[in-house]
Amino acid sequence: DSGKFLHHGKIYFFKDFLCFYANMLGIKNTQQKYLLPVNEIKAIERKVTAWVFNNAIEIQMKDGRNFIFRTFLNRDAAFELLQKLLD
C-alpha cells in the first residue's frame, strides 16, 4: 500500500482544499497526489512521531480516511493555518 510509505513532498493550503504532492526522483509510479476538500475534513490533531518528534499532523476525513503528514519544519504554524481554514 503506497499510503504506508513515507513520501517526501509538499503540502499546500488553499481556501477550499488541502493539496499534497510528492514525486520521488521524478519516477512516475512513485507520484502521490491528494486533493482534500476542506469541508470534508472532520478533525485535525497534532501528532508525535518516533515517540519524541513533535512534527506531524493527522487529518481525519468525514468518510473515515486518515492521513498523517510528517516532518514539518514548523508543524505548529502549519497546524494553526489549517485550523483557520477549518474555522
Side-chain angles (χ1 to χ4, degrees):
D1 179 14
S2 64
K4 301 295 181 192
F5 185 76
L6 184 61
H7 292 273
H8 178 76
K10 295 183 179 183
I11 194 164
Y12 302 92
F13 299 110
F14 297 99
K15 179 183 171 212
D16 297 319
F17 292 96
L18 181 149
C19 305
F20 174 79
Y21 177 78
N23 189 6
M24 295 179 56
L25 303 173
I27 302 169
K28 188 161 180 82
N29 64 350
T30 65
Q31 195 175 63
Q32 289 288 307
K33 299 177 190 176
Y34 295 110
L35 181 63
L36 307 176
V38 170
N39 64 357
E40 292 296 317
I41 295 175
K42 178 180 175 183
I44 60 173
E45 184 178 348
R46 290 177 172 98
K47 289 295 207 179
V48 174
T49 59
W51 300 288
V52 293
F53 298 111
N54 296 322
N55 64 350
I57 297 173
E58 180 177 15
I59 298 175
Q60 300 171 7
M61 303 300 290
K62 291 178 181 175
D63 66 7
R65 294 178 297 157
N66 287 341
F67 297 90
I68 297 179
F69 297 98
R70 296 174 171 86
T71 62
F72 287 92
L73 293 177
N74 191 336
R75 187 262 326 252
D76 292 334
F79 185 88
E80 289 175 20
L81 180 59
L82 183 54
Q83 186 67 55
K84 287 179 184 178
L85 287 174
L86 295 174
D87 288 342

